[in-house]
Amino acid sequence: MKNTVLFSAILFSVLSMSLFSCNSHSDDKKMEQHHEKIQYKCPMDCEKGKTYDEPGQCPVCGMDLEKTDEKSV
């Protein structure tokens, strides 16, 4: 009887730790992905620093927009 109780307590502890540790890491990654968006801007800076959320062409000069180092939140 004592072995069964001890085994149950150990099993419960191990399962609890594994569940809580896995959830916190996946939530952190989701939060990081949600907040970081790639920004695009004209390489000629026709619009004086204006950025876009999607790739495309500059409406002023027609050049392809390029990725920037800036990240939007």
Side-chain angles (χ1 to χ4, degrees):
M1 179 71 175
K2 290 182 182 180
N3 289 339
T4 305
V5 172
L6 181 61
F7 177 74
S8 297
I10 293 171
L11 182 62
F12 178 75
S13 298
V14 170
L15 289 175
S16 297
M17 288 188 302
S18 66
L19 288 175
F20 288 118
S21 66
C22 291
N23 286 339
S24 65
H25 293 297
S26 63
D27 289 343
D28 291 343
K29 288 180 183 177
K30 288 179 185 176
M31 294 287 283
E32 287 177 17
Q33 290 174 354
H34 177 70
H35 289 291
E36 293 181 8
K37 290 184 181 178
I38 298 173
Q39 294 290 295
Y40 299 87
K41 70 178 186 176
C42 176
M44 297 296 291
D45 201 24
C46 295
E47 297 181 287
K48 306 295 182 225
K50 182 174 180 180
T51 59
Y52 298 88
D53 292 334
E54 297 178 1
Q57 294 182 329
C58 174
V60 177
C61 69
M63 291 185 69
D64 290 334
L65 300 176
E66 295 180 350
K67 292 181 186 179
T68 66
D69 294 333
E70 303 168 17
K71 304 272 182 173
S72 71
V73 179

